C-alpha cells in the first residue's frame, strides 16, 4: 500500500479458521509497500459453514484473490470455476485468483518448495531420486510437484503406511515418476530396504512436525550414515531455524534447507498471480522472518 486505502485499492486476503497466527498478512503487505502497489491483504476468519458465501464474496466484492488455509484447502475445490492440474492432483487449493469473476484455484506449496530448492541449493529435480518422510498435506504437495518436475524415483515413508501407499499409487499413475513405499524409521531394527533407499537418494525431505517448536529436542530415528556430502536434506519445519534433523545433515556435510523458503515462495507465487508483477522476495523474507521468529524470540 502506498498512502493508505483509497477507492482504487485492490483487496487480497486469506480464508482460514483459526487465522490469527497467519504470517501471510505481514509478508504480503510488506510486498505491496515495497513495490508501492495499491493493494492490501486482510485475514478473514471463515467458519466452514460460511465457506461457500466467502468464495462467492470474492466475486461479489471484486477481491483480486485470496489464500486458503486450514481447514478449507480441500472443501474449497468444488466451489471454484477451475483448478490447476497440480492442485487437482495434490487435492488441495491454497490460492484463488479472481480472473474477472472466474475463480481459478491453484496450489503454490509444491512450486514454492521447488523454487526454494532451486534458489537455496541449486538442485534440479530432473532424473533425481527423492525420499519423502511423511505423507500428509505438505508431503503430497512436495512429492507431486517433484514428480511433475521430472524426478525419476520417489521413495515414501509414513508412520501410517496406508497413507503413503495411496500417495505412491497416485504418483505412479499420474506422473512419469515411479513411487515406492518403504518402512517408517522407528529406530527399533535395521531395515535394509529403508537404509538402501535413503542411501540412494539425492534429496531427502522431512515433512512431519517432528522437531517443531516447542518440541525442538525431538527428531527422527534414522539409520546411521544417511547424511553425506552431495545429499540435499530439507526439513519443512521452519521454527526452529535448524531442527536436529538439519543439524545432523549439516554436520555430516549434506546441504541443509529449512521450511522458510517454501513458506516464502508459496507466498511469492500467489502474489505474482494476483498482481502480475515479480514478487519483491527480499522484502517478503524480511517481514516473514520478523513475524515467524518474534513468536518465540
Ligand atoms: P498433516 O497433513 O497433518 O500431516 C502430518 C504428517 O506428519 C503425516 O504424515 C503424519 O503421519 C506425520 N506425523 C505427525 N506427527 C507424527 C509423529 N509424532 N511421528 C511420526 N509421524 C508424524 O500436516 P502437514 O500440513 O503435512 O504439515 C506437516 C508439517 O509441515 C508441519 O510441521 C507444518 O508446519 C509443515 N509445513 C511447512 C510448510 C512450509 O511452507 N514450510 C507448509 C506446510 C506444512 P500419519 O499419516 O501417520 O498421521
Amino acid at each position: 500500500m502506498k498512502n493508505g486505502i483509497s477507492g482504487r485499492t485492490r483487496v487480497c486476503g486469506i480464508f482460514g479458521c483459526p487465522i490469527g497466527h497467519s504470517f501471510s498478512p505481514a509478508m504480503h503487505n510488506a510486498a505491496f509497500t515495497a513495490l508501492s502497489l495499491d493493494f492490501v491483504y486482510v485475514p478473514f476468519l471463515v467458519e466452514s459453514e460460511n465457506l461457500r458465501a466467502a468464495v462467492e464474496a470474492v466475486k461479489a466484492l471484486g477481491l483480486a484473490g485470496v489464500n486458503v488455509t486450514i481447514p478449507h484447502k480441500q472443501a474449497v475445490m468444488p466451489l471454484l470455476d477451475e483448478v490447476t492440474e497440480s492442485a487437482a492432483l495434490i487435492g488441495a487449493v491454497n490460492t484463488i485468483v479472481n480472473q474477472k469473476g472466474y475463480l481459478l484455484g491453484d496450489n503454490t506449496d509444491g512450486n514454492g518448495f521447488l523454487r526454494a530448492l532451486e534458489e537455496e541449493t541449486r538442485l534440479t529435480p530432473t532424473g533425481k531420486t527423492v525420499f519423502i518422510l511423511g505423507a500428509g498435506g505438505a508431503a503430497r504437495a512436495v512429492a507431486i510437484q517433484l514428480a511433475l518436475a521430472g524426478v525419476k524415483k520417489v521413495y515414501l515413508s509414513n508412520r501410517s503406511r496406508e497413507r503413503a501407499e495411496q500417495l505412491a499409487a497416485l504418483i505412479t499413475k499420474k506422473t512419469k515418476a515411479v513411487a515406492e513405499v518403504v518402512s517408517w524409521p522407528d529406530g527399533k531394527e535395521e531395515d535394509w530396504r529403508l537404509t538402501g533407499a535413503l542411501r540412494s537418494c539425492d534429496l531427502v525431505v522431512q515433512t512431519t512436525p517432528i522437531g517443531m517448536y516447542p518440541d525442538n529436542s525431538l527428531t527422527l530415528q534414522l539409520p546411521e550414515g544417511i547424511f553425506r556430502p552431495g545429499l540435499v536434506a530439507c526439513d519443512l519445519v521452519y521454527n526452529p531455524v535448524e531442527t536436529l534433523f538439519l543439524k545432523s545433515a549439516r554436520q555430516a556435510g549434506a546441504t541443509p534447507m529449512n521450511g522458510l523458503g517454501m513458506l516464502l515462495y508459496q507466498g511469492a507465487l500467489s502474489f505474482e498471480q494476483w498482481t502480475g508483477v515479480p514478487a519483491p522476495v527480499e522484502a517478503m523474507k524480511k517481514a516473514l522472518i520478523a513475524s515467524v521468529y518474534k513468536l518465540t524470540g
Side-chain angles (χ1 to χ4, degrees):
M1 244 192 313
K2 201 160 67 181
N3 294 315
I5 292 171
S6 76
R8 285 178 299 279
T9 303
R10 302 296 316 275
V11 180
C12 301
I14 180 164
F15 292 171
C17 185
I19 202 62
H21 289 110
S22 172
F23 304 123
S24 296
M27 178 167 65
H28 285 284
N29 286 317
F32 298 144
T33 301
L35 296 185
S36 297
L37 291 178
D38 194 1
F39 276 68
V40 65
Y41 187 104
V42 186
F44 293 105
L45 179 71
V46 176
E47 307 268 0
S48 292
E49 63 269 29
N50 295 325
L51 182 62
R52 178 179 291 276
V55 171
E56 282 167 5
V58 175
K59 289 188 188 184
L61 301 176
L63 306 194
V66 290
N67 285 129
V68 181
T69 189
I70 290 169
H72 306 314
K73 283 184 169 190
Q74 287 87 32
V76 81
M77 295 180 75
L79 306 176
L80 304 174
D81 295 307
E82 186 184 336
V83 297
T84 59
E85 183 202 4
S86 55
L89 275 182
I90 293 165
V93 156
N94 78 334
T95 303
I96 299 174
V97 187
N98 184 1
Q99 299 174 330
K100 295 185 178 153
Y102 184 87
L103 300 188
L104 176 67
D106 191 17
N107 190 313
T108 63
D109 284 333
N111 272 328
F113 173 81
L114 287 190
R115 196 150 144 197
L117 193 66
E118 193 189 321
E119 297 283 338
E120 293 183 31
T121 75
R122 303 279 153 211
L123 184 123
T124 44
T126 318
K128 300 291 193 306
T129 295
V130 303
F131 194 111
I132 312 283
L133 291 153
R140 266 181 94 86
V142 167
I144 287 171
Q145 212 72 60
L146 281 166
L148 291 173
V151 300
K152 181 179 65 182
K153 177 102 193 189
V154 182
Y155 287 106
L156 293 165
S157 166
N158 193 48
R159 179 178 60 180
S160 323
R161 191 179 173 106
E162 198 186 319
R163 218 169 166 191
E165 302 275 9
Q166 285 166 2
L167 182 53
L170 181 73
I171 288 171
T172 302
K173 187 171 171 202
K174 298 283 188 180
T175 76
K176 290 183 182 144
V178 175
E180 185 180 329
V181 177
V182 292
S183 312
W184 177 248
D186 57 11
K188 286 186 192 139
E189 56 185 82
E190 172 91 9
D191 177 327
W192 65 267
R193 277 187 68 225
L194 169 69
T195 306
L198 279 163
R199 291 211 171 117
S200 75
C201 66
D202 305 287
L203 166 68
V204 57
V205 191
Q206 197 303 101
T207 75
T208 78
I210 296 170
M212 187 166 76
Y213 177 85
D215 298 318
N216 304 28
S217 61
L218 298 181
T219 193
L220 276 162
Q221 302 298 308
L222 292 175
E224 290 287 312
I226 294 309
F227 296 122
R228 61 197 184 277
L231 175 73
V232 173
C234 301
D235 196 329
L236 299 194
V237 171
Y238 45 81
N239 191 4
V241 175
E242 185 179 70
T243 56
L244 289 180
F245 175 87
L246 287 187
K247 187 177 178 190
S248 306
R250 178 177 56 78
Q251 287 175 338
T255 303
M257 179 176 112
N258 73 13
L260 197 77
M262 176 174 172
L263 191 61
L264 170 67
Y265 285 108
Q266 62 76 30
L269 292 169
S270 299
F271 176 97
E272 288 172 0
Q273 295 199 57
W274 298 326
T275 64
V277 299
V281 172
E282 283 310 315
M284 295 175 85
K285 188 174 181 180
K286 206 171 149 195
L288 193 57
I289 287 172
S291 53
V292 170
Y293 301 113
K294 86 169 177 213
L295 278 182
T296 50

